[in-house]
Amino acid sequence: QVQLVESGGGLVQAGGSLRLSCAASGRTLSTYAMGWFRQAPGKEREFVVGISWNGLRTVHTDSVKGRFTVSRDNAKNTVYLQMNSLKPEDTAVYYCAADPNRLGLNLRRDYDPNALDAWGQGTLVTVSS
């Protein structure tokens, strides 16, 4: 099974940028579509973005469209989340997850966590106003 480790979180002012990374080990990353999720304090975990195994298909939740960009480098077994124009409401713990459906059809707003093979431990993003 794949193991995932996120990094890159931190404290940033509103309007700033951060890039998160998700490093995979144990299995080749190209076996999976990959998704980013987040959980704000007191709220349920929500889907943010997804990317197919080859990077040709991406999906974004409406609140991050035009601001967040997901990409992947299968040779480096790493997925990235570039976050620009950050807002205080983006404050959350961000998690990456592996979808065994290589197109990423399980990466959506009404996702089933049991449909995903692995989750990282999360990285905290705090956006100050």
Side-chain angles (χ1 to χ4, degrees):
Q1 189 172 355
V2 66
Q3 290 82 45
L4 304 173
V5 178
E6 303 94 338
S7 62
L11 175 63
V12 63
Q13 288 188 332
S17 298
L18 279 176
R19 188 175 83 153
L20 306 183
S21 298
C22 171
S25 61
R27 290 195 70 179
T28 302
L29 191 66
S30 59
T31 303
Y32 300 97
M34 295 297 295
W36 286 95
F37 296 75
R38 66 186 180 186
Q39 187 166 19
K43 296 187 177 181
E44 294 186 351
R45 192 178 314 190
E46 66 172 354
F47 168 73
V48 179
V49 298
I51 185 167
S52 64
W53 72 276
N54 57 5
L56 294 182
R57 176 181 182 269
T58 61
V59 291
H60 300 71
T61 196
D62 287 347
S63 62
V64 307
K65 285 181 179 177
R67 301 189 299 122
F68 288 14
T69 302
V70 60
S71 61
R72 63 190 297 157
D73 186 338
N74 288 339
K76 295 183 177 179
N77 260 12
T78 304
V79 179
Y80 304 98
L81 181 63
Q82 178 67 43
M83 306 185 294
N84 299 328
S85 302
L86 282 161
K87 305 175 181 180
E89 52 263 44
D90 294 317
T91 294
V93 177
Y94 283 72
Y95 301 88
C96 62
D99 182 1
N101 182 298
R102 299 178 81 195
L103 292 178
L105 298 183
N106 294 310
L107 301 172
R108 58 181 192 261
R109 185 176 180 180
D110 60 341
Y111 73 98
D112 176 0
N114 295 318
L116 303 177
D117 268 6
W119 294 82
Q121 83 291 345
T123 186
L124 177 62
V125 172
T126 304
V127 184
S128 63
S129 58

